[in-house]
Amino acid sequence: MSVRRGKFITLEGGEGAGKSTVLSAVREQLVADGADVIITREPGGTPAGEAIRGVLLDPALHGAIAPETELLLMFAARAQHVRETIKPALAAGRWVLSDRFTDASYAYQGGGRAQPLERIAELERWAADDLQPDLTLLLDLPVGIGLARARGRGPADRIELEAQDFFERVRAAYRARAAAQPARFRVIDASQPLDAVLDQVRNAIGEFLQTQNDGAGS
Ligand code: T5A
């Protein structure tokens, strides 16, 4: 008898959007519904991916990584993540909750760094094995609010050292993807106080679970 495939849920958003903060609430809700959940992140999620993350976020390398190198390193970490962590978990019937996935490459490397979208799409096809999330929560908020939150939390990493217009392009690219794929994305107003953000997130997850449970018997 085959094991039912788990579901793949991703959280996306700009700097300081609150992804890490809402992750545990999402996990609790999924577990309460009976799901076996793993939490992971990008770049990272495997020993090799975490080592690549160290290079990508090292502030000492600010200005020393070409946009093409950055894009390839993001997908190098993702290629390992898909094969070593995500696909095996889904095949075993587990639910995977990832702090960022390929949408971040379209937003940061496509929007922020102006890398051609067709190159990102080609990498998505072969390096990420064309894996698509079942649901993506986009935590959207004005760039200034997110940066203030992120900077209040600790020293900036290499990407957080970018100028505000870079993050404006990232936000615009995320919103454009969400508008183009409304069946997969739920946009959360992350500028609200945490309780209000969590309410929106729980509603979105609740609706998704309802569709899954409705379809389970068919
Ligand atoms: N990247 C990643 C790419 O360029 N391309 C890619 O393909 C991928 C996968 C690392 C970086 O890599 C880039 C994007 C990133 O620059 P990351 O580790 O996810 O990715 O880094 P960040 O987005 O920088 O993670 P942050 O930790 O900054 O953001 P979070 O997780 O969204 O925010 P969080 O939860 O840590 O919250 C930040 C602060 O705000 C507070 C929290 O308490 C915390 O102090 N906060 C709130 N305060 C008020 N009201 C609320 N509603 C709040 N929610 C949270």
Side-chain angles (χ1 to χ4, degrees), residues 8-145:
F8 181 29
I9 299 178
T10 58
L11 272 76
E12 298 282 357
E15 309 300 305
K19 294 173 286 83
S20 312
T21 307
V22 305
L23 264 173
S24 57
V26 175
R27 173 169 53 186
E28 277 171 27
Q29 190 174 0
L30 295 175
V31 168
D33 194 65
D36 179 7
V37 182
I38 67 161
I39 286 189
T40 186
R41 69 172 179 180
E42 288 207 347
T46 66
E50 291 294 326
I52 295 169
R53 178 187 178 93
V55 172
L56 279 163
L57 299 187
D58 183 354
L61 294 175
H62 185 58
I65 295 184
E68 292 78 2
T69 310
E70 182 179 277
L71 176 62
L72 290 167
L73 286 173
M74 291 293 177
F75 271 97
R78 183 165 300 128
Q80 191 66 32
H81 193 208
V82 166
R83 287 160 181 79
E84 183 178 335
T85 304
I86 303 176
K87 283 202 159 183
L90 295 174
R94 306 185 80 188
W95 287 49
V96 177
L97 188 51
S98 185
D99 188 340
R100 299 192 185 280
F101 192 59
T102 305
D103 292 306
S105 292
Y106 281 101
Y108 282 79
Q109 283 66 56
R113 304 269 192 233
Q115 290 299 286
L117 298 186
E118 63 272 17
R119 283 195 195 149
I120 301 175
E122 179 60 20
L123 286 166
E124 181 178 29
R125 274 192 291 279
W126 71 268
D129 214 7
D130 217 8
L131 181 64
Q132 304 292 324
D134 296 292
L135 173 70
T136 298
L137 301 184
L138 173 59
L139 274 60
D140 179 59
L141 80 175
V143 168
I145 299 175

Side-chain angles (χ1 to χ4, degrees), residues 194-210:
L194 187 55
D195 282 351
V197 172
L198 291 176
D199 281 348
Q200 296 175 68
V201 167
R202 289 191 183 106
N203 285 339
I205 295 291
E207 282 172 19
F208 179 74
L209 289 173
Q210 188 67 50

Side-chain angles (χ1 to χ4, degrees), residues 103 138 171-187:
D103 292 306
L138 173 59
R171 184 186 187 201
Y174 266 135
R175 288 162 64 101
R177 282 185 73 71
Q181 300 180 57
R184 172 164 71 87
F185 276 90
R186 292 290 174 274
V187 181

